[in-house]
Amino acid sequence: MTYELFYWPTIQGRGEFVRLALEQAGVEYTDVARSEGPELGVSAMLELVERKDLAHPSFAPPFLRDGDLVVGQTANILLYLGSRHGLAPRSERGRLWTHQVQLTIMDLVTEVHDTHHPVSVDLYYEDQKPEAARRAKSLRESRMPKYLQWFERILERNGKTGQRIGRELTYADLSLFQVVEGLNYSFPTAASRALTDAPLVSTLSEAVTQQPRIAAYLESDWRIPFSEDDVFRYYPELDG
Amino acid sequence: MTYELFYWPTIQGRGEFVRLALEQAGVEYTDVARSEGPELGVSAMLELVERKDLAHPSFAPPFLRDGDLVVGQTANILLYLGSRHGLAPRSERGRLWTHQVQLTIMDLVTEVHDTHHPVSVDLYYEDQKPEAARRAKSLRESRMPKYLQWFERILERNGKTGQRIGRELTYADLSLFQVVEGLNYSFPTAASRALTDAPLVSTLSEAVTQQPRIAAYLESDWRIPFSEDDVFRYYPELDG
């Protein structure tokens, strides 16, 4: 059975955390909203969201269909995929820890999103720029360093590898790479400064890019570039 | 082994979602930061956060200790407790769905928090009132109704009971009750309006209060009252 990923077709967004796991797993998947044909495209995604006979509709994309199972919430999708494709430890303890790190990564992603949308997702960035300036300052000076220092600390404590969160590569490592990429794109000055104090985070991020499947994916046209319609946006006035 | 819950002692906060699950499970637990004695109190919590030999430190409270296992992130703690105490379905499908709902509830909790802290958690509400007014308007008019309609829809589709998210009571039902309580406290006018269109959500919330252990807990002094130091705060100027 081929997985079907449902996510907005023109951005990385939260769907990218799932894409990275699917790519690393080396499994076939249909990126439904990015595909053309019957029962494909954005309309197919919106149709599935609205389908009244779907017992478990998701609040928002991304969601993943595996046969008649539909799973939503990014971290929950990764929980599901992780245990199936060797992207999470087998032990309950290891699985819980990997998931805990993932949930903390998702919290940071939400905080990054809110730097350009501190007031409302229904408004444009241009309609909330003064609020965004204050929120971004807080991210740059307080929150981003705090998160990165936490990631650094957990990598330090995983003495076994130094380049991974756990013993083997997991979806949380892939996600941490994605966040580092996103921070470097959206806050080049502030992220560069904060990462100076988090060398293991940078090392992990670099190590992820050396994974053959991830390397091939990142070099392919299939990887959507960062943009200012996405979660990670580069607005020079918010960096510094 | 008695569970040890680590959370701030004077607020419900995110710890309350864990407390409700522990209460419903009927298990013994030590609410460490609310207890007095050696290795108890807030200092014991902060000490555990800072302990350098802790392999899996949490980014923030709440976290739960079960012997030598420490689990953090509210939804992750509930994932752990749910499977141990009959507060989640046994099937993988059911467990994933319960967790998905929980993660969506946590997203709403974050959005509620950000109504009084739209700019920075390091500043007081009084230092971000104009931003809070705009953010709260968005919550009242757009986000809160959207979330409540989603909860209503998933309850409608669970034809079996109408009063629960799944077949049996789960931690997600307890959490949805807590959110409804919190919204009614913090946005009495807006929540009352939004809940008019979500009768099943109100019914579920009421049904949770009828659970004997939950009822006893809510009536006890052990339940911390809502306050303006908490996640759900009543600021009349943000309601309407």
Side-chain angles (χ1 to χ4, degrees):
Chain A
M1 182 69 68
T2 303
Y3 290 117
E4 293 167 285
L5 172 65
F6 294 80
Y7 195 65
W8 305 109
T10 57
I11 61 171
Q12 293 182 9
R14 287 176 172 83
E16 194 66 12
F17 298 96
V18 182
R19 286 196 193 102
L20 285 167
L22 290 166
E23 293 288 341
Q24 176 66 14
V27 295
E28 277 194 46
Y29 67 99
T30 303
D31 207 331
V32 175
R34 295 171 74 190
S35 306
E36 288 178 24
E39 297 185 50
L40 294 170
V42 175
S43 60
M45 177 172 86
L46 299 178
E47 225 166 80
L48 185 56
V49 169
E50 294 302 328
R51 251 177 59 179
K52 296 216 171 6
D53 61 339
L54 190 67
H56 297 164
S58 292
F59 183 74
F63 46 93
L64 184 82
R65 186 157 63 182
D66 181 11
D68 66 348
L69 177 68
V70 180
V71 184
Q73 279 279 358
T74 309
N76 198 41
I77 300 170
L78 293 171
L79 186 69
Y80 177 70
L81 290 175
S83 64
R84 266 173 184 62
H85 300 289
L87 290 173
R90 286 193 185 183
S91 71
E92 181 185 34
R93 181 175 298 242
R95 274 189 290 115
L96 286 166
W97 174 239
T98 303
H99 193 54
Q100 179 175 336
V101 174
Q102 185 66 40
L103 290 172
T104 307
I105 290 171
M106 299 321 293
D107 285 346
L108 172 54
V109 171
T110 296
E111 294 197 29
V112 169
H113 170 272
D114 284 5
T115 58
H116 47 79
H117 279 80
V119 168
S120 169
V121 292
D122 301 322
L123 298 172
Y124 291 108
Y125 164 61
E126 285 68 24
D127 299 323
Q128 44 195 316
K129 284 179 80 168
E131 294 89 347
R134 292 192 75 192
R135 177 100 191 202
K137 181 172 188 289
S138 164
L139 184 88
R140 289 193 314 267
E141 297 179 0
S142 165
R143 304 299 288 172
M144 189 197 314
K146 185 172 173 174
Y147 276 101
L148 289 176
Q149 281 309 302
W150 185 75
F151 296 130
E152 185 72 8
R153 197 179 321 140
I154 65 173
L155 290 172
E156 277 167 12
R157 293 188 189 177
N158 183 31
K160 293 177 197 85
T161 79
Q163 298 192 351
R164 288 183 199 134
I165 293 162
R167 201 170 302 174
E168 308 287 343
L169 187 84
T170 67
Y171 60 77
D173 296 301
L174 305 177
S175 293
L176 186 50
F177 152 77
Q178 174 66 11
V179 163
V180 171
E181 285 284 290
L183 290 174
N184 276 325
Y185 173 81
S186 52
F187 297 94
T189 306
S192 163
R193 190 170 53 235
L195 282 163
T196 306
D197 298 326
L200 293 176
V201 174
S202 299
T203 303
L204 175 145
S205 183
E206 180 59 28
V208 167
T209 67
Q210 307 296 317
Q211 293 285 325
R213 285 172 179 156
I214 296 294
Y217 169 63
L218 295 177
E219 281 164 28
S220 75
D221 290 342
W222 192 241
R223 165 86 161 177
I224 299 168
F226 286 107
S227 79
E228 282 56 64
D229 296 315
D230 213 320
V231 172
F232 293 102
R233 301 184 180 192
Y234 177 48
Y235 293 129
E237 66 273 23
L238 298 185
D239 187 26
Chain B
M1 180 69 70
T2 303
Y3 289 117
E4 293 167 286
L5 171 65
F6 294 79
Y7 195 66
W8 305 110
T10 57
I11 61 171
Q12 293 183 8
R14 286 176 174 82
E16 193 67 11
F17 298 96
V18 183
R19 287 195 192 102
L20 286 167
L22 291 165
E23 293 289 341
Q24 175 66 14
V27 295
E28 278 193 44
Y29 67 100
T30 304
D31 207 332
V32 174
R34 295 171 73 189
S35 305
E36 288 179 22
E39 298 186 49
L40 293 170
V42 175
S43 60
M45 177 171 86
L46 298 178
E47 225 168 80
L48 184 57
V49 170
E50 295 301 328
R51 251 178 60 179
K52 294 213 172 8
D53 61 339
L54 190 67
H56 297 165
S58 292
F59 183 75
F63 46 94
L64 184 82
R65 184 156 65 182
D66 181 11
D68 65 350
L69 177 69
V70 180
V71 184
Q73 279 279 359
T74 309
N76 198 41
I77 300 169
L78 293 171
L79 187 69
Y80 178 71
L81 290 175
S83 64
R84 265 172 186 62
H85 300 289
L87 290 174
R90 287 192 182 183
S91 71
E92 182 184 34
R93 182 174 298 242
R95 275 190 289 116
L96 286 166
W97 174 239
T98 303
H99 194 53
Q100 179 174 336
V101 175
Q102 184 67 39
L103 290 171
T104 307
I105 290 171
M106 299 321 292
D107 285 346
L108 172 54
V109 171
T110 297
E111 294 199 29
V112 168
H113 169 272
D114 283 7
T115 57
H116 48 79
H117 279 79
V119 167
S120 169
V121 291
D122 300 323
L123 298 173
Y124 291 108
Y125 163 62
E126 285 68 25
D127 299 323
Q128 44 196 315
K129 285 179 80 167
E131 294 90 347
R134 291 192 76 190
R135 176 99 191 202
K137 180 173 189 286
S138 165
L139 184 89
R140 290 193 313 266
E141 297 180 1
S142 166
R143 303 299 289 171
M144 189 199 309
K146 185 174 172 169
Y147 276 101
L148 289 176
Q149 280 310 301
W150 184 75
F151 296 130
E152 184 72 8
R153 197 178 322 139
I154 66 174
L155 290 172
E156 277 167 10
R157 293 190 190 175
N158 183 32
K160 292 178 197 83
T161 78
Q163 298 193 350
R164 289 181 199 137
I165 292 162
R167 201 170 305 174
E168 307 288 343
L169 188 84
T170 68
Y171 61 75
D173 296 301
L174 305 177
S175 293
L176 186 50
F177 151 76
Q178 173 67 10
V179 164
V180 170
E181 285 285 290
L183 290 174
N184 276 325
Y185 173 81
S186 51
F187 298 94
T189 306
S192 162
R193 191 171 52 234
L195 282 164
T196 306
D197 298 325
L200 293 176
V201 175
S202 299
T203 303
L204 174 146
S205 183
E206 181 59 29
V208 166
T209 67
Q210 305 298 317
Q211 293 284 326
R213 285 171 178 156
I214 296 294
Y217 169 62
L218 295 177
E219 281 164 29
S220 74
D221 290 342
W222 192 240
R223 165 87 161 178
I224 299 169
F226 286 107
S227 80
E228 281 56 65
D229 296 314
D230 212 320
V231 172
F232 293 102
R233 301 183 181 192
Y234 176 48
Y235 293 128
E237 65 273 24
L238 298 185
D239 188 26

